Amino acid sequence: AFDAPNRDVCTIKRESTNTPLQALVLLNDPQFVEAARVMAERLQKEGGETLEERVRYGFRLATGRMPGKKEVDILAEMQQKALERFQQKPAEAREFLQVGTYPLDPRLDKIETAAWAMVTSTLLNHDESYMKR
């Protein structure tokens, strides 16, 4: 949707940009918030048992490559901080998880799902996730 050429003109190569508006859409648009929530559920079901395994799995799903140690550490720390925040304010977690129409998996812990959704939202907003190079 950003910098798309008009449909009445032939374009060989589409211009690529990285704008603040793009970041706002990727972080706040209901479709992207819902996608992050669904991806968070997937990480909990398929990503392994440990925090690091799930971070690696999610990173690979989003970017197509395995993360480095520093990337894993940053995302794991983000998940832990989000988990603490949502444990202290469960109403925020419930409100966050209500975005979208895809049904929540009732077998998964809502607080943990919300924390993972914060991580997956970041992954979906990662430059390597939406920019073709």
Side-chain angles (χ1 to χ4, degrees):
F2 300 98
D3 296 327
N6 294 332
R7 291 180 172 230
D8 60 341
V9 185
C10 179
T11 303
I12 295 172
K13 184 177 178 186
R14 184 174 169 172
E15 191 177 324
S16 62
T17 62
N18 191 354
T19 68
L21 179 61
Q22 188 172 0
L24 284 172
V25 168
L26 291 173
L27 288 171
N28 297 318
D29 187 82
Q31 290 174 325
F32 286 96
V33 174
E34 182 178 20
R37 178 177 54 84
V38 173
M39 186 175 172
E41 290 182 344
R42 184 174 176 190
L43 293 187
Q44 292 175 85
K45 294 174 186 176
E46 302 171 9
E49 296 299 318
T50 68
L51 177 65
E52 289 78 15
E53 287 174 334
R54 290 178 179 177
V55 167
R56 283 188 188 90
Y57 183 67
F59 195 95
R60 187 179 57 77
L61 284 175
T63 67
R65 71 169 176 88
M66 294 304 287
K69 181 178 177 0
K70 187 172 182 177
E71 291 166 321
V72 170
D73 292 343
I74 290 169
L75 293 167
E77 182 180 345
M78 173 186 281
Q79 195 275 347
Q80 290 299 294
K81 286 182 180 180
L83 184 62
E84 290 172 15
R85 174 182 160 204
F86 286 132
Q87 286 172 336
Q88 293 172 358
K89 299 178 181 181
E92 284 185 16
R94 283 191 300 275
E95 183 180 343
F96 180 58
L97 294 175
Q98 288 177 353
V99 175
T101 58
Y102 193 86
L104 277 167
D105 187 336
R107 298 171 296 176
L108 298 174
D109 179 72
K110 288 178 176 46
I111 302 293
E112 189 171 351
T113 299
W116 278 110
M118 296 299 291
V119 173
T120 55
S121 177
T122 301
L123 287 171
L124 293 174
N125 196 41
H126 192 288
D127 187 59
E128 290 182 45
S129 298
Y130 64 85
M131 296 282 290
K132 182 177 178 183
R133 299 193 190 268

